[in-house]
PDB file of all heavy atoms in Angstrom:
ATOM      1  N   LEU A1099      14.339 -13.538 -24.563  1.00 94.00           N
ATOM      2  CA  LEU A1099      14.699 -13.110 -26.026  1.00 94.00           C
ATOM      3  C   LEU A1099      14.205 -14.129 -27.074  1.00 94.00           C
ATOM      4  O   LEU A1099      13.865 -13.698 -28.130  1.00 94.00           O
ATOM      5  CB  LEU A1099      16.201 -12.994 -26.094  1.00 94.00           C
ATOM      6  CG  LEU A1099      16.839 -11.831 -25.391  1.00 94.00           C
ATOM      7  CD1 LEU A1099      18.404 -11.788 -25.550  1.00 94.00           C
ATOM      8  CD2 LEU A1099      16.263 -10.592 -25.843  1.00 94.00           C
ATOM      9  N   PHE A1100      14.180 -15.409 -26.667  1.00 94.00           N
ATOM     10  CA  PHE A1100      13.828 -16.434 -27.522  1.00 94.00           C
ATOM     11  C   PHE A1100      12.321 -16.203 -28.009  1.00 94.00           C
ATOM     12  O   PHE A1100      11.937 -16.217 -29.266  1.00 94.00           O
ATOM     13  CB  PHE A1100      14.004 -17.818 -27.000  1.00 94.00           C
ATOM     14  CG  PHE A1100      13.313 -18.824 -27.868  1.00 94.00           C
ATOM     15  CD1 PHE A1100      13.860 -19.318 -28.911  1.00 94.00           C
ATOM     16  CD2 PHE A1100      12.131 -19.487 -27.512  1.00 94.00           C
ATOM     17  CE1 PHE A1100      13.447 -20.263 -29.799  1.00 94.00           C
ATOM     18  CE2 PHE A1100      11.567 -20.476 -28.281  1.00 94.00           C
ATOM     19  CZ  PHE A1100      12.305 -20.863 -29.468  1.00 94.00           C
ATOM     20  N   LEU A1101      11.435 -15.903 -27.058  1.00 91.00           N
ATOM     21  CA  LEU A1101      10.047 -15.529 -27.264  1.00 91.00           C
ATOM     22  C   LEU A1101       9.973 -14.382 -28.372  1.00 91.00           C
ATOM     23  O   LEU A1101       9.129 -14.471 -29.342  1.00 91.00           O
ATOM     24  CB  LEU A1101       9.238 -15.195 -26.028  1.00 91.00           C
ATOM     25  CG  LEU A1101       9.089 -16.279 -25.153  1.00 91.00           C
ATOM     26  CD1 LEU A1101       8.270 -15.837 -23.891  1.00 91.00           C
ATOM     27  CD2 LEU A1101       8.287 -17.416 -25.733  1.00 91.00           C
ATOM     28  N   LEU A1102      10.796 -13.373 -28.271  1.00 91.00           N
ATOM     29  CA  LEU A1102      10.755 -12.242 -29.114  1.00 91.00           C
ATOM     30  C   LEU A1102      11.374 -12.520 -30.491  1.00 91.00           C
ATOM     31  O   LEU A1102      10.767 -12.277 -31.538  1.00 91.00           O
ATOM     32  CB  LEU A1102      11.513 -11.104 -28.390  1.00 91.00           C
ATOM     33  CG  LEU A1102      11.573  -9.801 -29.104  1.00 91.00           C
ATOM     34  CD1 LEU A1102      10.239  -9.207 -29.321  1.00 91.00           C
ATOM     35  CD2 LEU A1102      12.557  -8.822 -28.397  1.00 91.00           C
ATOM     36  N   ALA A1103      12.486 -13.252 -30.438  1.00 92.00           N
ATOM     37  CA  ALA A1103      13.312 -13.437 -31.645  1.00 92.00           C
ATOM     38  C   ALA A1103      12.854 -14.489 -32.598  1.00 92.00           C
ATOM     39  O   ALA A1103      13.097 -14.437 -33.727  1.00 92.00           O
ATOM     40  CB  ALA A1103      14.758 -13.533 -31.288  1.00 92.00           C
ATOM     41  N   SER A1104      12.127 -15.605 -31.917  1.00 92.00           N
ATOM     42  CA  SER A1104      11.819 -16.609 -32.763  1.00 92.00           C
ATOM     43  C   SER A1104      10.781 -16.238 -33.755  1.00 92.00           C
ATOM     44  O   SER A1104      10.941 -16.673 -34.884  1.00 92.00           O
ATOM     45  CB  SER A1104      11.224 -17.871 -31.848  1.00 92.00           C
ATOM     46  OG  SER A1104      10.265 -17.283 -31.091  1.00 92.00           O
ATOM     47  N   GLY A1105       9.805 -15.382 -33.384  1.00 90.00           N
ATOM     48  CA  GLY A1105       8.924 -14.888 -34.393  1.00 90.00           C
ATOM     49  C   GLY A1105       9.585 -14.067 -35.486  1.00 90.00           C
ATOM     50  O   GLY A1105       9.282 -14.195 -36.605  1.00 90.00           O
ATOM     51  N   LEU A1106      10.424 -13.198 -34.990  1.00 91.00           N
ATOM     52  CA  LEU A1106      11.149 -12.298 -35.954  1.00 91.00           C
ATOM     53  C   LEU A1106      11.852 -13.133 -36.947  1.00 91.00           C
ATOM     54  O   LEU A1106      11.871 -12.831 -38.165  1.00 91.00           O
ATOM     55  CB  LEU A1106      12.146 -11.354 -35.141  1.00 91.00           C
ATOM     56  CG  LEU A1106      12.748 -10.265 -35.927  1.00 91.00           C
ATOM     57  CD1 LEU A1106      11.796  -9.287 -36.367  1.00 91.00           C
ATOM     58  CD2 LEU A1106      13.858  -9.637 -34.966  1.00 91.00           C
ATOM     59  N   SER A1107      12.553 -14.121 -36.497  1.00 89.00           N
ATOM     60  CA  SER A1107      13.312 -15.058 -37.391  1.00 89.00           C
ATOM     61  C   SER A1107      12.450 -15.840 -38.378  1.00 89.00           C
ATOM     62  O   SER A1107      12.761 -15.849 -39.602  1.00 89.00           O
ATOM     63  CB  SER A1107      14.133 -16.052 -36.511  1.00 89.00           C
ATOM     64  OG  SER A1107      15.006 -16.796 -37.301  1.00 89.00           O
ATOM     65  N   LEU A1108      11.278 -16.327 -37.911  1.00 88.00           N
ATOM     66  CA  LEU A1108      10.373 -16.962 -38.770  1.00 88.00           C
ATOM     67  C   LEU A1108       9.913 -16.109 -39.805  1.00 88.00           C
ATOM     68  O   LEU A1108       9.652 -16.484 -41.051  1.00 88.00           O
ATOM     69  CB  LEU A1108       9.306 -17.646 -37.918  1.00 88.00           C
ATOM     70  CG  LEU A1108       9.629 -18.926 -37.185  1.00 88.00           C
ATOM     71  CD1 LEU A1108       8.473 -19.408 -36.341  1.00 88.00           C
ATOM     72  CD2 LEU A1108      10.039 -20.073 -38.158  1.00 88.00           C
ATOM     73  N   ILE A1109       9.451 -14.846 -39.419  1.00 89.00           N
ATOM     74  CA  ILE A1109       8.882 -13.960 -40.450  1.00 89.00           C
ATOM     75  C   ILE A1109       9.941 -13.710 -41.450  1.00 89.00           C
ATOM     76  O   ILE A1109       9.641 -13.677 -42.669  1.00 89.00           O
ATOM     77  CB  ILE A1109       8.396 -12.587 -39.610  1.00 89.00           C
ATOM     78  CG1 ILE A1109       7.266 -12.847 -38.891  1.00 89.00           C
ATOM     79  CG2 ILE A1109       8.280 -11.515 -40.686  1.00 89.00           C
ATOM     80  CD1 ILE A1109       6.853 -11.696 -38.056  1.00 89.00           C
ATOM     81  N   PHE A1110      11.165 -13.552 -41.094  1.00 86.00           N
ATOM     82  CA  PHE A1110      12.181 -13.221 -41.944  1.00 86.00           C
ATOM     83  C   PHE A1110      12.396 -14.497 -42.919  1.00 86.00           C
ATOM     84  O   PHE A1110      12.487 -14.312 -44.049  1.00 86.00           O
ATOM     85  CB  PHE A1110      13.572 -13.007 -41.209  1.00 86.00           C
ATOM     86  CG  PHE A1110      14.633 -12.549 -42.140  1.00 86.00           C
ATOM     87  CD1 PHE A1110      14.863 -11.248 -42.430  1.00 86.00           C
ATOM     88  CD2 PHE A1110      15.385 -13.487 -42.780  1.00 86.00           C
ATOM     89  CE1 PHE A1110      15.878 -10.856 -43.284  1.00 86.00           C
ATOM     90  CE2 PHE A1110      16.453 -13.127 -43.642  1.00 86.00           C
ATOM     91  CZ  PHE A1110      16.557 -11.750 -43.961  1.00 86.00           C
ATOM     92  N   GLY A1111      12.450 -15.627 -42.317  1.00 83.00           N
ATOM     93  CA  GLY A1111      12.732 -16.832 -43.073  1.00 83.00           C
ATOM     94  C   GLY A1111      11.552 -17.115 -44.116  1.00 83.00           C
ATOM     95  O   GLY A1111      11.950 -17.356 -45.249  1.00 83.00           O
ATOM     96  N   VAL A1112      10.358 -16.924 -43.778  1.00 84.00           N
ATOM     97  CA  VAL A1112       9.247 -17.258 -44.657  1.00 84.00           C
ATOM     98  C   VAL A1112       8.954 -16.201 -45.596  1.00 84.00           C
ATOM     99  O   VAL A1112       8.809 -16.287 -46.767  1.00 84.00           O
ATOM    100  CB  VAL A1112       8.079 -17.733 -43.814  1.00 84.00           C
ATOM    101  CG1 VAL A1112       6.833 -17.836 -44.731  1.00 84.00           C
ATOM    102  CG2 VAL A1112       8.283 -18.923 -43.019  1.00 84.00           C
ATOM    103  N   MET A1113       8.939 -14.870 -45.025  1.00 84.00           N
ATOM    104  CA  MET A1113       8.543 -13.785 -45.838  1.00 84.00           C
ATOM    105  C   MET A1113       9.623 -12.952 -46.290  1.00 84.00           C
ATOM    106  O   MET A1113       9.330 -12.012 -47.189  1.00 84.00           O
ATOM    107  CB  MET A1113       7.346 -13.002 -45.046  1.00 84.00           C
ATOM    108  CG  MET A1113       6.382 -13.795 -44.476  1.00 84.00           C
ATOM    109  SD  MET A1113       5.383 -12.927 -43.290  1.00 84.00           S
ATOM    110  CE  MET A1113       4.469 -11.842 -44.482  1.00 84.00           C
ATOM    111  N   ARG A1114      10.825 -13.174 -45.868  1.00 83.00           N
ATOM    112  CA  ARG A1114      11.997 -12.211 -46.098  1.00 83.00           C
ATOM    113  C   ARG A1114      11.555 -10.798 -45.911  1.00 83.00           C
ATOM    114  O   ARG A1114      11.833  -9.867 -46.704  1.00 83.00           O
ATOM    115  CB  ARG A1114      12.286 -12.272 -47.720  1.00 83.00           C
ATOM    116  CG  ARG A1114      12.762 -13.722 -48.116  1.00 83.00           C
ATOM    117  CD  ARG A1114      14.224 -13.851 -47.664  1.00 83.00           C
ATOM    118  NE  ARG A1114      14.872 -15.010 -48.119  1.00 83.00           N
ATOM    119  CZ  ARG A1114      14.824 -16.190 -47.500  1.00 83.00           C
ATOM    120  NH1 ARG A1114      14.198 -16.274 -46.301  1.00 83.00           N
ATOM    121  NH2 ARG A1114      15.393 -17.253 -47.939  1.00 83.00           N
ATOM    122  N   ILE A1115      10.883 -10.546 -44.754  1.00 86.00           N
ATOM    123  CA  ILE A1115      10.559  -9.254 -44.313  1.00 86.00           C
ATOM    124  C   ILE A1115      11.384  -8.970 -43.047  1.00 86.00           C
ATOM    125  O   ILE A1115      11.410  -9.744 -42.169  1.00 86.00           O
ATOM    126  CB  ILE A1115       9.119  -9.188 -43.908  1.00 86.00           C
ATOM    127  CG1 ILE A1115       8.268  -9.212 -45.183  1.00 86.00           C
ATOM    128  CG2 ILE A1115       8.756  -7.955 -43.112  1.00 86.00           C
ATOM    129  CD1 ILE A1115       6.782  -9.088 -44.992  1.00 86.00           C
TER     130      ILE A1115
END
Side-chain angles (χ1 to χ4, degrees):
Chain A
L1099 290 181
F1100 174 74
L1101 291 179
L1102 180 64
S1104 53
L1106 189 63
S1107 186
L1108 284 175
I1109 289 175
F1110 186 91
V1112 173
M1113 306 171 72
R1114 294 285 185 271
I1115 287 180

